Amino acid sequence: MSFLKKSPWVLHYAATSCNGCDIELLACLTPLYDVERFGIVNTGNPKHADIFLVTGSVNEESRKVVENLYAQMPDPKVVVAIGACALSGGIFRDAYNVYGGIDQVIPVDVYVPGCAARPESIIDGIVRSLDILEQRAKERKRQRKMVAL
């Protein structure tokens, strides 16, 4: 994480989840797991977020919100799908109103499996997303230099 100039901020959205993964995600913020030791800051504003954490499957209403939040996030950004529902629709995948996983709507960079995903897995997914974010930031800086020349 040497290239990043600031702490990465995460935005969490619970699409149509059972809240199992949401509870585990919130457990990551407690002193027991302490995701803030990696410099992670939780935000409610997509315009400040670098990492988009999504739990739950996608239906028509949540699709609009997910697309809107993703569009508001500045580049570079990373999307992390947390839990079986976010990966594939989970136990709800055969429901009439479920499209499937988050990758049916927006590009996903990191998949965190589980039902419910454990805090250790979620932290591992966030740390992996930091590497991707750093690579994208370097590439963006390289492209800016090319344009400036």
Side-chain angles (χ1 to χ4, degrees):
M1 238 177 47
S2 61
F3 188 81
L4 297 175
K5 301 290 187 214
K6 68 178 189 74
S7 294
W9 287 24
V10 298
L11 173 67
H12 168 235
Y13 178 70
T16 53
S17 67
C18 68
N19 293 331
C21 292
D22 302 321
I23 291 168
E24 298 296 329
L25 179 60
L26 292 175
C28 294
L29 300 172
T30 64
L32 180 63
Y33 296 103
D34 192 24
V35 76
E36 290 181 356
R37 69 178 177 243
F38 300 111
I40 304 295
V41 178
N42 193 16
T43 183
N45 189 344
K47 294 178 181 179
H48 298 156
D50 303 303
I51 303 170
F52 190 23
L53 307 175
V54 185
T55 59
S57 56
V58 178
N59 63 17
E60 183 60 32
E61 290 193 26
S62 65
R63 179 188 63 82
K64 295 173 187 173
V65 175
V66 168
E67 288 174 341
N68 189 16
L69 290 172
Y70 181 78
Q72 291 181 47
M73 291 177 63
D75 287 326
K77 56 190 164 193
V78 178
V79 177
V80 180
I82 300 173
C85 294
L87 273 63
S88 65
I91 61 171
F92 306 109
R93 70 180 168 273
D94 294 327
Y96 72 95
N97 64 337
V98 173
Y99 292 155
I102 302 301
D103 57 2
Q104 300 295 318
V105 178
I106 58 174
V108 175
D109 302 299
V110 179
Y111 295 91
V112 179
C115 184
R118 299 289 304 144
E120 297 90 347
S121 301
I122 295 170
I123 292 171
D124 184 52
I126 292 172
V127 170
R128 289 175 191 261
S129 70
L130 294 176
D131 293 336
I132 295 170
L133 187 64
E134 184 173 1
Q135 290 172 0
R136 290 186 180 164
K138 286 180 182 178
E139 181 62 32
R140 188 175 169 104
K141 185 175 182 181
R142 196 174 308 127
Q143 288 174 350
R144 285 183 185 166
K145 284 184 180 179
M146 296 294 283
V147 170
L149 297 176

